Amino acid sequence: GKSGYPHYMLKEINEQPESLRQTLHGRVDALAGKVDLPEFPPGTFEDVEQVQFVAMGTSHHAGMYAASMLTAHGIPAHAYMAGEYADCPPPADGRTLVVAVTQSGETADTLNAVRRARSAGARTLAVTNVVGSSVTRECDDELFIRAGPEIGVAATKTFTSQVAALTLLGERIAGDVTGVASAGARDLLAALSELPGDVQQVLDDGTAREVAEALYGCDAYFFIGRGPAYAVALEGALKMKEISYEHAEGFAASELKHGPLALVTPETPLFGVLTGKDETKTLNNLKEVQARGAPVIVVTTPRHASAASFADYVIEIPETEPEAAGILANVQLQLVSYYAADLLGRPIDKPRNLAKSVTVE
Ligand code: M6R
């Protein structure tokens, strides 16, 4: 049941401290600065030359997030929309690791991409929530995100658990390939250990709800970010369109002036996800948007909060490492979408025209 919550989505949003604890349980040795994934014996990934993530929807955004982390470690990585990958497969061989990210393990596009990758001779690894799902039968290896069952059509706790699990996997791959733990590994793993408590702080903060109350019913909603925060921006927009039926789009902050800025009016609130180390450029983008009259909402850590004080709304998240900050920003955006959809009277757990799992392309 819904344990007293009006919707499964709100229940699942509130379960995230616990689901993340399950995802991370026994896998993080913060003191030693080591990731412990017994699924993969030492050296499992030492021959990997490139990583291709294949996934759809929210899982694709988790793959994008992971690809930017691996790229930062110097490992060539890219996230493909699985449907596109299956139609137009990129070069892959035995030193390519193809990671299929799928909550259900049943998404047809993703299963097809895995088949294409296998026939090219690539190694395949499933990152999924469902034990015994089709993707686990199609892939060489598997890593379970352990988020627990998700009933709402909108993916929430499975996204944060995917990102957490992929962060661990990324550290492991980088460690195997380079032979050493990454420079930031200790800080990152300490931040991941704090994540369940940090998510609880976000859940106890009422700002997302106030923003939804102030801004629901506008013409459109835009979301921008750079690097991993670009994936968070895309995910913020997907959640908003899916459950509120409002027009919502995510853009790379760098793309704004190359077209999307023409859409900006006083009736199009724009959310900036500022979770990187240096966000000077995104802050400037937000000032330009504000000068066109659009309400600007910044989701960020205390590190950037004073530089962002010009914004109409600042939604704060606890101070942490950038890789973990994206997860916290995502939880705030889940809450904004949830409350906006609720104020609009939408059937939040079963949005029109959508199914929890897309088994036909
Ligand atoms: O089960 P999967 O993770 O493979 O599903 C992929 C997408 O269909 C899914 O994430 C979809 O975009 C969600 N409804 C988003 O909330």
Side-chain angles (χ1 to χ4, degrees), residues 289-308:
V289 164
Q290 194 178 46
R292 270 87 185 166
V296 166
I297 310 95
V298 172
V299 187
T300 195
T301 55
R303 187 202 304 249
H304 301 301
S306 63

Side-chain angles (χ1 to χ4, degrees), residues 45-53 63-64 66-80 90-93 95-99 170 173-174 177-178:
F45 302 112
E46 64 193 4
D47 291 337
V48 170
E49 271 175 0
Q50 61 162 337
V51 181
Q52 298 172 343
F53 295 91
M64 287 179 68
S68 47
M69 287 189 288
L70 271 173
T71 306
H73 285 320
I75 312 233
H78 188 77
Y80 295 84
D93 61 21
R95 303 188 78 164
T96 306
L97 178 68
V98 173
V99 180
I173 294 171
V177 170
T178 63

Side-chain angles (χ1 to χ4, degrees), residues 15-27 145-146 161 164 192-198 200:
E15 278 171 354
Q16 288 173 113
E18 186 51 31
S19 50
L20 284 165
R21 225 170 258 129
Q22 290 304 321
T23 303
L24 298 168
H25 181 76
R27 291 171 166 174
I145 65 167
R146 310 195 298 215
S161 283
L192 288 179
S193 311
E194 306 282 321
L195 196 56
D198 288 348
Q200 190 59 55

Side-chain angles (χ1 to χ4, degrees), residues 1-3 5-15 149-154 156-157 338 348-349:
K2 290 183 256 186
S3 322
Y5 287 100
H7 299 98
Y8 281 107
M9 184 183 178
L10 189 60
K11 173 177 181 264
E12 288 158 1
I13 289 174
N14 277 282
E15 278 171 354
E150 188 176 66
I151 310 292
V153 165
T156 52
K157 65 174 180 172
Y338 174 82
I348 289 177
D349 286 331

Side-chain angles (χ1 to χ4, degrees), residues 56-59 102-105 107 153-155 162 238-239 242 358:
M56 296 305 289
T58 294
S59 297
T102 165
Q103 184 282 129
S104 63
T107 298
V153 165
Q162 282 171 340
L238 173 55
K239 215 87 308 174
E242 185 176 28
V358 182

Side-chain angles (χ1 to χ4, degrees), residues 102 104-106 111 118 125-144:
T102 165
S104 63
E106 304 298 341
L111 294 172
R118 285 184 76 99
L125 194 168
V127 175
T128 183
N129 198 29
V130 181
V131 176
S133 56
S134 301
V135 79
T136 63
R137 292 193 296 274
E138 301 263 0
C139 286
D140 302 320
D141 284 303
E142 59 209 21
L143 178 66
F144 292 107

